[in-house]
Amino acid sequence: TADALPSDLAACDLEPIRWPGAIQPHGRMLVLDAQTLQPVAASAGWPAPDHAAVLEALDRTALSSLPAAGPGMSPISLGSVQLPGRAAQEVSAHRTASHVIVECEDASPQDHGPSRIYALARNFLSRLNEARDLPALCLLAAEEMRRVSGFGRALVYRFDDDGHGEVLAETLEPDYDSYLGHHFPASDIPRQARALYLLNHFRLIPDAGYAPVPLLGLEGCAASQVDLSHALLRSVSPVHVEYMRNMGTLASMSVSIVVDGKLWGLVSCHNHAPRTLGPNARAACEHLGQLLSLQIGALQAAEEAAARLELRQLTLSLVAQLAESDGTLSRLVQAGGLLRLARASGAAVVLDEAVWTVGTTPPPAELEALAHWVAARGEDIYASDELARDFGGSPALRENAAGVLAVSISQVHRHVILWFRPEIVRTVRWAGNPRKAVDEAGRIHPRKSFDSWVERLGGRSARWLPSELAAARELRDALIGIVLRRAQEMADAAT
Ligand code: BLA
């Protein structure tokens, strides 16, 4: 085996997980034509008389009036149906563009009654207010999710902008390994899986040792054309079930956390032994995920608003200080708060060939080259948290300025304000070596080890936040006002 190349990992992105043409064996599926409601495909091993019996027991109007499946929508429960010689079947159904998909499962003794579910939800809601910050909120959600699901481990996993993940909170039974604080590479949950999880917020794999049951097309319908994106029983990626077995977890459940229309993270639950969940417990887990998503959204909005308010006050104070002086931009480096505005370690004001600095900055020659380069880009605001990659420059530049935020005041003159941030060397604890193994045939396999593997990442500064970019823009607008007024005053004085 060798280390995987990016092209191998790209192959992970290509597996068509929404059209597997197969289901997991803990239920049965009947696919109907969306218009005629006639069967067009069914899971193997399910005799035709059963199809007819299920259809007969279901309300045709309910079937034909199912809403189209959309983001965050789960199949609708149609109650239970008794089939001759079989356990009672819990039936759910949903509508796709071409099909109505009917799914049946044996009624589960592990399901909670609705009253128990309400009690759990009430408990969660009343404790939500106690959770003041993100870690506390995530821990509370993990605890509740483990309580409702009965799984051995529950963790809250957050994606970063590149799709890599970090475990923010975790609760586990004694014989489970801890992943708290561990990072997982984006390829563990590849791009198309993340896209699907934004659409469908819930999945359950009761037994990773399962053999998929093929979906068989009945009349000119190819099973691989049936979109199972929203199906409860969808057979999952074989690479992923191998990963689960390597991880020592035979059952898994995950619930999407969606904030502002983006996949923020997952609550992921594991069990060493196979484990399933009935429809009530599943619905409760979905609701917990929705409550958590809303609460994270509220928390983030509040933090963002507080940060913006503080930055606005700093901007106003800077502008006031400047307006009280002679109004030349170079005075900015003497004003209190210039570094604080951008949480920077250094800043520079470049006015054509002249440079003024405060704090730690690159040497003057490099500063000028950088200002020139920024001005030539013709953008009002420019930000980079990896200047070595985006601009280049010498080691001295990189040392003092791993990241830069730049504001161009004038397109005509080279008038630029620059803020610098130092390198932060992050030590990332990956769960296992994130570089995947490739076998002789060039196929990629999920890694077998989940022991910590520590990597140092350098060359980057802290990210520039949207609130900081907004403050820079506001400062720019105010400064342009001052500069123009000053030019006008000088013109007036000359006449
Ligand atoms: C899916 N990978 C997943 C899922 C999780 C993870 C949670 C969602 C399905 C589920 O709920 O079980 C990964 N599970 C994790 C991680 C943690 C965890 C990181 O608990 C952290 C504690 N996986 C690989 C490689 C490939 C890959 C190399 O390691 C690609 C070749 C693929 N993972 C992969 C695919 C899916 C997946 C394709 C989608 C499965 C599906 O829904 O069909």
Side-chain angles (χ1 to χ4, degrees):
T1 61
D3 276 358
L5 302 168
S7 60
D8 299 314
L9 288 177
C12 289
D13 288 346
L14 298 177
E15 193 187 340
I17 61 173
R18 297 162 72 156
W19 298 271
I23 64 168
Q24 300 183 54
H26 61 283
R28 286 152 287 279
M29 179 179 283
L30 189 57
V31 181
L32 312 176
D33 179 277
Q35 252 71 56
T36 65
L37 296 185
Q38 290 304 306
V40 294
S43 53
W46 203 25
D50 272 4
H51 308 169
V54 167
L55 286 181
E56 203 143 300
L58 293 178
D59 179 350
R60 301 278 296 179
T61 342
L63 272 187
S64 57
S65 58
L66 286 169
M73 273 171 57
S74 309
I76 289 171
S77 171
L78 298 180
S80 67
V81 166
Q82 190 67 52
L83 295 183
R86 268 196 192 276
Q89 299 289 297
E90 294 282 356
V91 183
S92 16
H94 67 282
R95 172 186 291 273
T96 69
S98 347
H99 301 115
V100 166
I101 296 180
V102 179
E103 297 175 274
C104 301
E105 289 168 85
D106 291 354
S108 161
Q110 279 173 23
D111 205 11
H112 298 298
S115 59
R116 168 119 175 82
I117 301 294
Y118 284 128
L120 284 163
R122 248 202 331 267
N123 180 44
F124 182 60
L125 276 175
S126 58
R127 289 180 64 198
L128 264 183
N129 279 328
E130 297 162 21
R132 292 273 160 230
D133 56 15
L134 193 61
L137 180 62
C138 291
L139 180 60
L140 182 65
E143 284 170 348
E144 289 295 313
M145 201 70 93
R146 190 157 78 87
R147 214 191 310 275
V148 176
S149 67
F151 277 61
R153 173 173 51 217
L155 46 85
V156 174
Y157 186 82
R158 178 176 62 185
F159 295 111
D160 70 13
D161 292 347
D162 302 322
H164 302 309
E166 179 183 3
V167 177
L168 294 187
E170 173 188 69
T171 153
L172 30 82
E173 281 170 13
D175 52 337
Y176 282 77
D177 295 333
S178 170
Y179 295 122
L180 187 63
H182 281 205
H183 291 250
F184 292 80
S187 52
D188 278 22
I189 311 179
R191 188 190 312 271
Q192 86 284 30
R194 295 193 302 271
L196 176 57
Y197 301 169
L198 183 59
L199 202 60
N200 177 344
H201 297 179
F202 182 87
R203 58 238 122 239
L204 176 65
I205 306 169
D207 181 0
Y210 79 89
V213 177
L215 202 56
L216 303 176
L218 297 175
E219 289 153 18
C221 165
S224 60
Q225 286 165 6
V226 181
D227 178 0
L228 296 183
S229 300
H230 282 275
L232 296 163
L233 294 170
R234 179 178 61 86
S235 186
V236 299
S237 160
V239 186
H240 180 55
V241 287
E242 185 185 345
Y243 177 102
M244 284 175 63
R245 292 193 297 258
N246 292 346
M247 218 175 172
T249 60
L250 280 189
S252 99
M253 174 183 83
S254 59
V255 182
S256 306
I257 304 172
V258 176
V259 178
D260 291 337
K262 289 208 203 85
L263 186 66
W264 185 95
L266 301 173
V267 184
S268 170
C269 300
H270 304 131
N271 209 57
H272 286 324
R275 180 175 180 88
T276 191
L277 275 191
N280 286 320
R282 277 195 313 242
C285 290
E286 280 185 66
H287 289 157
L288 282 178
Q290 283 164 345
L291 290 174
L292 177 63
S293 299
L294 286 173
Q295 198 70 7
I296 289 174
L299 202 66
Q300 284 189 349
E303 277 173 6
E304 177 83 9
R308 277 184 197 257
L309 188 64
E310 195 195 330
L311 290 178
R312 159 149 313 155
Q313 283 160 350
L314 266 175
T315 309
L316 288 177
S317 130
L318 269 175
V319 171
Q321 291 174 62
L322 202 64
E324 279 164 19
S325 71
D326 62 4
T328 47
L329 291 178
S330 58
R331 297 261 182 228
L332 273 176
V333 299
Q334 294 151 7
L338 184 67
L339 293 182
R340 211 153 27 105
L341 182 71
R343 287 190 300 132
S345 50
V349 175
V350 180
L351 303 176
D352 296 315
E353 307 309 322
V355 177
W356 292 264
T357 67
V358 54
T360 311
T361 60
E366 293 224 66
L367 244 178
E368 272 179 55
L370 177 62
H372 200 107
W373 178 77
V374 166
R377 296 176 64 92
E379 295 159 289
D380 298 346
I381 308 278
Y382 171 77
S384 164
D385 59 11
E386 200 175 351
L387 203 53
R389 177 198 60 199
D390 298 335
F391 169 68
S394 73
L397 176 79
R398 257 166 267 167
E399 203 174 293
N400 298 316
V404 69
L405 168 63
V407 166
S408 295
I409 303 295
S410 160
Q411 305 289 10
V412 185
H413 303 282
R414 199 180 345 133
H415 290 184
V416 187
I417 304 169
L418 302 152
W419 286 270
F420 301 102
R421 280 183 180 171
E423 177 183 36
I424 41 165
V425 178
R426 290 191 302 161
T427 303
V428 176
R429 218 170 346 136
W430 296 99
N433 187 333
R435 314 205 192 293
K436 305 273 181 338
V438 181
D439 66 16
E440 291 72 36
R443 259 200 318 269
I444 178 138
H445 290 280
R447 61 198 136 75
K448 294 207 167 60
S449 165
F450 288 86
D451 295 340
S452 294
W453 188 81
V454 172
E455 187 175 42
R456 283 188 58 194
L457 298 175
R460 284 193 171 196
S461 73
R463 277 182 206 275
W464 301 97
L465 302 177
S467 52
E468 292 161 349
L469 299 184
R473 188 167 295 280
E474 239 179 278
L475 180 64
R476 175 179 189 272
D477 292 344
L479 291 180
I480 287 177
I482 292 180
V483 170
L484 287 180
R485 202 172 57 231
R486 178 133 174 87
Q488 188 61 53
E489 281 165 9
M490 289 177 49
D492 290 349
T495 55

